[in-house]
Amino acid sequence: MSKKAIKPSLKNPFAPQETVEFTIPGEIPGKKGGYEEAMKEGHDLIQRPIKSVSIAQIEKQHFKKRMTVWERIKVLTEKEPNVLFQNWGKNLDGASLVTGILNVNGRDVALYGHDFTVRAGSIDATNGRKLALLFQMAGEKGIPVIGMNDSAGAFVPAGVGGLDGYAEAFTALRKISGVVPSIMCMFGFNAGGGSYLPRQGSFVIQPNDTFFGLAGPGVVKSVLGEDVTPEDLGGPKVHGGSGVADLTVEDEVGALRSALQLLSYVPDNNSVMARFQKTSDPLDRKTWEINTLLKKAFNSPTGFNTPFDVSIMIQQICDHGDYFEMQPDRAREAVTAFGRLGGNVVGFVANNSAVASGQISVDSAYKIARFNRFCNIYNIPMIFMEDTTGFLPGREQESRGIVQAGRAMLDSIVDIRTPRILLIIRNAYGGAYASYNNYPTGADLVLALPTTRLAVMGPAGKEFVYKDELRKLRGAVKDKVKSGVQERVAAGMDAGEATKDAEKDVADWLRIEEAALNLRYEKELMNPKEGLALGSISSLVMPTDLRKVLGENMNFLLRHYKPGPMQAIQREFH
């Protein structure tokens, strides 16, 4: 038995040896000269970015459960990439960064990916320029960008040059923001500039077992003396909850597949619509499941106060029930998602009563605002689905700036130029209604279900509407208790016990009377009738007809919408 260590290899020992001959097929080879030598050198240069990396470096990448940049490209497309600046750098190996053009389902996509097997994917002045050129070309040609980030940050030996490289890339990416959409995948361990750059993009996708942040755990330990794991400092749970990452997924393949799926919902640039996709799902399909959902919820013991998951309604409205939710790990009281309705891409913004009664918090307000602005820039029509009792009150929300966050959401709604429809599902109270895509804030159409409860205030409004009756009821409590005590004492009950019993009876009586006023308030004022009479609601729609009514109205609005870049004044916003 041989004691010689076996070195691992990625080569197939049974594969025939590859030989490259620089001759025309069928040509009888003659004497080789300078031409063949030049061709061989050229072929080696073309292959150098791929084949110059040692097997040991590739194995290190695989040991960390990561793919190489070239393997990641093959997940995105089966077609060969058109690699740009492939021999950039003094070593003619691409300088740890791959840039190119991919053909993804017939669409041109600008792609960059850090090659961690070369210098840990770090950035210096030269490949920062390389990245900037790719961004500039994407903006000029109007094609979307996909980034595969796997970088240790600036290349330290390059000194200030590495910082200049990042600064040039930052600037170029910012200049195409709002011109073409960009989707950034986070792989490996990224810190500093390796985190700032991708977060400049439209969307960030982060798999498990990855990190990105201002600084790594080592820096945090040395500066603050704090022990923290990469997962707790900048893992997907942290960034998914804060909204820094728009999507968190299981692994690298999941991230790349999610990027392709998201790409199918966004347009190439700000001058066109997202691509129409013909569907076999009839627009007039009855949405019986929505009817069943609402019936079971509102006929339950808790009645119209019963929460339910609004994403079920979105699913039933979309073509074949297919939709793509953004920031699903953040502020679940609001749902933001892309879907298709009759083949057209639509952005959905919905209050979700299944979480915190759908009340709008600081996080959900910013989540909605950011989604609105993306749809507005890239010509994506929107459907708002309202079911909220208002903004979430309290010291914690005020200290975090709920007024500013609410303003950001309101501003983003007022600024929308794309076709938009509001559907009121149930609750629409006070300031939340006033700032949630109604006719005064620019909605093209406002529809409502018969279950709508549109009012200035919720059930607490009875305190103002029926204040005289309530004052009379509460004023009678003292006399009723006194009368009840007298009756019980006269019947032979102990005075102390008589007082307790009388107070309990009167409290029950008052509770019943106030409940009756609650029901009266809900029946008389918490309904769609006043909204219909004032024109605040265009019309009622039955739950089973939601897909048909929304689809037909959206098709009408889209027939009269001309996509293009934003031309209006860009107002201040947070």
Side-chain angles (χ1 to χ4, degrees):
M1 182 176 178
S2 174
K3 294 182 179 180
K4 187 178 179 182
I6 298 175
K7 291 185 179 180
S9 172
L10 295 179
K11 293 182 179 180
N12 179 1
F14 300 105
Q17 186 175 359
E18 181 183 2
T19 56
V20 180
E21 295 290 342
F22 303 102
T23 56
I24 300 171
E27 179 187 29
I28 298 173
K31 183 180 178 181
K32 294 181 180 179
Y35 176 79
E36 283 77 13
E37 289 181 10
M39 290 301 102
K40 184 179 184 305
E41 186 175 356
H43 179 266
D44 291 342
L45 283 172
I46 292 172
Q47 295 296 313
R48 183 173 295 185
I50 303 173
K51 296 188 175 180
S52 64
V53 178
S54 68
I55 292 174
Q57 288 295 328
I58 296 173
E59 285 182 331
K60 282 182 182 179
Q61 191 78 342
H62 289 171
F63 182 76
K64 297 173 185 175
K65 297 182 180 179
R66 302 177 195 166
M67 291 184 282
T68 66
V69 65
W70 303 103
E71 290 166 340
R72 290 166 182 158
I73 290 173
K74 289 181 179 178
V75 175
L76 291 174
T77 180
E78 294 179 354
K79 298 183 178 179
E80 286 295 316
N82 178 13
V83 179
L84 306 175
F85 311 116
Q86 61 181 1
N87 296 113
W88 190 289
K90 63 181 182 180
N91 295 326
L92 301 174
D93 58 0
S96 78
L97 186 72
V98 177
T99 57
I101 307 298
L102 296 186
N103 185 292
V104 178
N105 298 321
R107 298 172 68 178
D108 289 326
V109 177
L111 172 92
Y112 77 85
H114 298 281
D115 188 349
F116 199 84
T117 61
V118 179
R119 216 176 58 196
S122 55
I123 292 287
D124 60 19
T126 62
N127 54 15
R129 173 65 178 159
K130 178 180 180 180
L131 200 51
L133 288 172
L134 179 78
F135 293 150
Q136 290 169 11
M137 184 200 63
E140 291 170 358
K141 307 305 179 187
I143 60 176
V145 175
I146 290 180
M148 301 186 299
N149 298 275
D150 189 1
S151 170
F155 186 49
V156 176
V160 177
L163 303 179
D164 287 342
Y166 263 123
E168 189 168 5
F170 290 158
T171 304
L173 183 53
R174 178 59 184 170
K175 286 183 177 180
I176 66 168
S177 175
V179 179
V180 295
S182 51
I183 302 170
M184 304 299 186
C185 296
M186 305 304 299
F187 302 129
F189 191 100
N190 300 266
S195 299
Y196 292 134
L197 181 71
R199 189 52 278 182
Q200 281 187 285
S202 307
F203 303 104
V204 170
I205 304 173
Q206 185 179 14
N208 289 338
D209 301 319
T210 60
F211 168 89
F212 73 95
L214 173 67
V219 176
V220 172
K221 173 69 174 176
S222 63
V223 174
L224 301 176
E226 180 183 346
D227 287 311
V228 62
T229 65
E231 176 69 23
D232 292 335
L233 183 62
K237 287 184 179 179
V238 173
H239 292 317
S242 67
V244 174
D246 297 282
L247 293 170
T248 58
V249 294
E250 183 65 29
D251 53 26
E252 291 193 2
V253 173
L256 295 167
R257 293 297 185 195
S258 295
L260 291 176
Q261 192 176 359
L262 178 54
L263 183 67
S264 71
Y265 288 102
V266 300
D268 288 341
N269 54 67
N270 64 2
S271 297
V272 298
M273 303 283 291
R275 295 197 172 191
F276 178 85
Q277 185 172 299
K278 192 173 181 180
T279 179
S280 59
D281 192 356
L283 197 61
D284 59 357
R285 167 174 55 80
K286 292 286 186 180
T287 47
W288 294 109
E289 290 81 359
I290 295 177
N291 187 74
T292 301
L293 171 70
L294 299 180
K295 183 177 180 180
K296 286 188 174 183
F298 299 151
N299 284 347
S300 68
T302 49
F304 277 71
N305 295 318
T306 306
F308 61 86
D309 190 346
V310 75
S311 61
I312 298 173
M313 295 185 67
I314 297 174
Q315 180 197 43
Q316 292 301 313
I317 291 168
C318 290
D319 295 348
H320 300 291
D322 191 21
Y323 68 97
F324 193 85
E325 186 175 353
M326 301 308 302
Q327 296 194 1
D329 302 324
R330 181 192 191 194
R332 288 290 301 162
E333 63 270 16
V335 174
T336 53
F338 294 113
R340 279 191 170 81
L341 182 56
N344 294 304
V345 172
V346 175
F348 288 89
V349 174
N351 302 122
N352 186 17
S353 63
V355 178
S357 299
Q359 290 182 306
I360 302 170
S361 66
V362 170
D363 289 329
S364 56
Y366 283 131
K367 174 180 175 177
I368 291 170
R370 184 164 153 196
F371 186 78
N372 289 347
R373 292 200 176 280
F374 180 86
C375 292
N376 192 31
I377 289 170
Y378 291 106
N379 303 292
I380 297 174
M382 303 191 69
I383 294 176
F384 288 79
M385 302 170 73
E386 184 167 9
D387 182 15
T388 180
T389 56
F391 288 92
L392 184 62
R395 179 193 295 180
E396 190 255 349
Q397 288 292 304
E398 291 292 354
S399 65
R400 292 186 58 204
I402 184 65
V403 174
Q404 179 64 39
R407 175 249 169 130
M409 185 191 79
L410 172 59
D411 287 353
S412 71
I413 290 173
V414 171
D415 290 345
I416 293 174
R417 66 196 174 108
T418 60
R420 47 174 159 150
I421 297 172
L422 169 63
L423 171 68
I424 304 176
I425 299 171
R426 175 176 44 181
N427 297 325
Y429 300 154
Y433 162 75
S435 60
Y436 202 77
N437 192 44
N438 45 41
Y439 277 127
T441 55
D444 293 299
L445 179 67
V446 176
L447 302 171
L449 293 179
T451 51
T452 290
R453 304 200 296 178
L454 174 59
V456 176
M457 290 184 71
K462 74 177 188 301
E463 298 287 341
F464 302 94
V465 178
Y466 306 127
K467 61 181 179 180
D468 293 336
E469 294 174 59
L470 283 167
R471 188 183 297 117
K472 185 177 178 181
L473 286 171
R474 290 162 184 169
V477 168
K478 189 175 180 180
D479 290 338
K480 278 187 170 291
V481 170
K482 184 178 179 181
S483 174
V485 170
Q486 290 174 350
E487 290 175 2
R488 285 164 175 76
V489 170
M493 187 180 287
D494 176 72
E497 292 296 325
T499 301
K500 288 181 181 179
D501 194 52
E503 288 177 346
K504 181 179 179 301
D505 274 1
V506 173
D508 290 340
W509 166 81
L510 182 61
R511 194 179 303 110
I512 292 170
E513 291 297 322
E514 289 187 352
L517 282 179
N518 268 342
L519 291 174
R520 180 178 160 195
Y521 178 79
E522 290 184 14
K523 188 172 182 181
E524 292 179 356
L525 297 173
M526 292 174 63
N527 57 56
K529 293 177 184 176
E530 185 180 11
L532 287 163
L534 293 174
S536 301
I537 298 171
S538 175
S539 57
L540 293 181
V541 56
M542 301 304 287
T544 53
D545 297 327
L546 273 179
R547 175 174 163 83
K548 178 177 183 291
V549 173
L550 289 172
E552 289 179 350
N553 280 287
M554 186 58 75
N555 283 344
F556 163 73
L557 295 172
L558 286 172
R559 285 197 295 271
H560 300 277
Y561 175 74
K562 294 181 179 179
M566 293 181 66
Q567 302 293 332
I569 296 170
Q570 293 299 293
R571 307 191 187 280
E572 300 173 24
F573 68 93
H574 179 73

